Amino acid sequence: MVLNPLCAKIVRKGPQFLRIPLQLAPSALKKQCLQQLLSWQFQHALAEGDLDFLEGRGLGIEIRDLGLSWVTTLEQGKLQVVEREEADVWFRGEANDLLLVTARRQDPDTLFFQRRLVIEGDTDLGLEVKNLMDAMEPEHMPAPLRFGLMQLARLIEAGLTEDATSPADRAGAPC
């Protein structure tokens, strides 16, 4: 099927193509978009007080293949993307892996032990964040965000599956 190799290529090369426009986008625009996405994603957890442990503490996220990193904290009951280099804990990974974790299609522990997800800094805070993510129910996410995230996760899974089974990547395939 022609779509599967195309899907694998999009999944494999997509972050490279997104990196340049993301690097050229103004940081104020990226910050505003990130804050809006985080507010939508965690609106239920914020309302329930589940993120109170982040008050005054920095959670850093780095998406290596996109060249994106930011620090999020809780200030006066709102998630804020702050401009600082230091965080109490950092989560680092590739775009496809982090998206699959967010969509609950990949276990963060598995990625951690495969060294595809790196957690550095305050391990207690990192564990609190991981436990919160594990406890979040997808139905608490706004429907458009949940739908888009799930569709993108399916595309990534299909592309990664095709990529792993493509004849060019098998042992004994001609170079």
Side-chain angles (χ1 to χ4, degrees):
M1 181 177 197
V2 174
L3 182 60
N4 287 339
L6 178 62
C7 181
K9 214 171 250 188
I10 289 169
V11 168
R12 193 174 57 253
K13 299 283 187 184
Q16 292 173 1
F17 293 124
L18 289 174
R19 185 181 180 111
I20 293 170
L22 285 170
Q23 295 299 312
L24 295 175
S27 50
L29 177 64
K30 289 187 281 193
K31 179 180 175 178
Q32 184 178 9
C33 289
L34 280 169
Q35 274 187 201
Q36 187 61 57
L37 278 171
L38 291 170
S39 294
W40 284 341
Q41 170 75 15
F42 296 105
Q43 68 183 356
H44 181 56
L46 283 166
E48 297 290 316
D50 294 340
L51 289 169
D52 289 351
F53 66 89
L54 261 183
E55 185 76 41
R57 299 171 86 187
L59 164 63
I61 307 289
E62 180 182 4
I63 307 173
R64 292 185 297 239
D65 53 349
L66 292 180
L68 278 180
S69 65
W70 68 90
V71 176
T72 302
T73 190
L74 188 69
E75 293 178 357
Q76 300 173 356
K78 293 183 179 181
L79 282 175
Q80 300 291 323
V81 174
V82 293
E83 295 190 28
R84 64 181 189 205
E85 299 285 321
E86 295 182 20
D88 295 293
V89 67
W90 279 96
F91 284 73
R92 303 177 198 278
E94 305 294 318
N96 291 334
D97 290 334
L98 293 173
L99 196 134
L100 290 173
V101 167
T102 304
R104 300 184 72 158
R105 301 294 274 253
Q106 182 67 263
D107 178 46
D109 291 330
T110 301
L111 294 179
F112 178 77
F113 288 114
Q114 292 174 352
R115 297 187 180 185
R116 291 167 47 196
L117 173 63
V118 176
I119 304 170
E120 297 174 332
D122 184 339
T123 53
D124 289 336
L125 179 58
L127 190 56
E128 282 186 81
V129 171
K130 182 202 160 301
N131 289 340
L132 173 72
M133 293 295 291
D134 286 344
M136 287 184 63
E137 297 298 328
E139 58 270 3
H140 289 145
M141 229 185 278
L145 183 59
R146 181 179 64 239
F147 179 76
L149 182 64
M150 294 308 160
Q151 292 299 319
L152 195 50
R154 281 191 207 103
L155 175 72
I156 290 170
E157 284 177 324
L160 292 176
T161 301
E162 173 62 26
D163 196 34
T165 60
S166 67
D169 292 338
R170 291 191 182 144
C175 297

